[in-house]
Amino acid sequence: PLVGEWIDKGQRLNAMRVASILSFIGAAAFAYFLARRLELNLWPTGFLLMYLALDYNNIMYGMSGMETELAVAVVLAVAYYVTTGKFIAAGIAVGVSVLARPDFLLLAAPVVVALWVRSHRRGLQSLAIATVIVAPWVIFTTIYYGSPVPLTILAKKLNYTEHPPIGHTPASVWHFITSQLVQHDG
């Protein structure tokens, strides 16, 4: 958004939409490269690319200026670079993925382990690169907001009820389900 504002005042959303279109191009390219790497035939490759192009959520969220297309592109980039053994590029992609969506830490952990298993030294190099990419944002958010955890996650935590722990009786689970349905009736 800041780039759009610098170019022309009030163009934040349009800049985000352009970024989303560029991210779709990246997602399609990485999907194609990954399909080639996995030696998929024409039909599965075509299906994959058509899905990326026509999926309602990708279109709706992408064109509304959300990070969806960037997230899809970066996950496909991570998959491609891990399968090709490009450790530096994988480290960059993992770092960018965590910046795109903090919950991609769940992606980063097994990716770094997989790279480390393949080569201890180069896997640690990938981790270092990802850390260098993410660290400035973590430092900034900790200083500015008091925590690197996005405020949206904290807000959602306040709004949503925890699931009943395993081992509860069927009656307590039924009570939980019905209370959730009543709470979200609308």
Side-chain angles (χ1 to χ4, degrees), residues 54-114:
L54 300 176
D55 177 55
Y56 174 77
N57 287 323
N58 275 341
I59 295 167
M60 181 183 66
Y61 294 136
M63 289 299 98
S64 64
M66 294 182 73
E67 80 285 354
T68 304
E69 282 301 329
L70 178 61
V72 171
V74 77
V75 165
L76 290 169
V78 167
Y80 175 72
Y81 290 131
V82 168
T83 60
T84 58
K86 297 181 178 178
F87 288 83
I88 293 173
I92 293 169
V94 166
V96 172
S97 75
V98 174
L99 289 179
R101 292 195 51 96
D103 54 335
F104 282 166
L105 277 172
L106 297 173
L107 168 70
V111 165
V112 168
V113 169

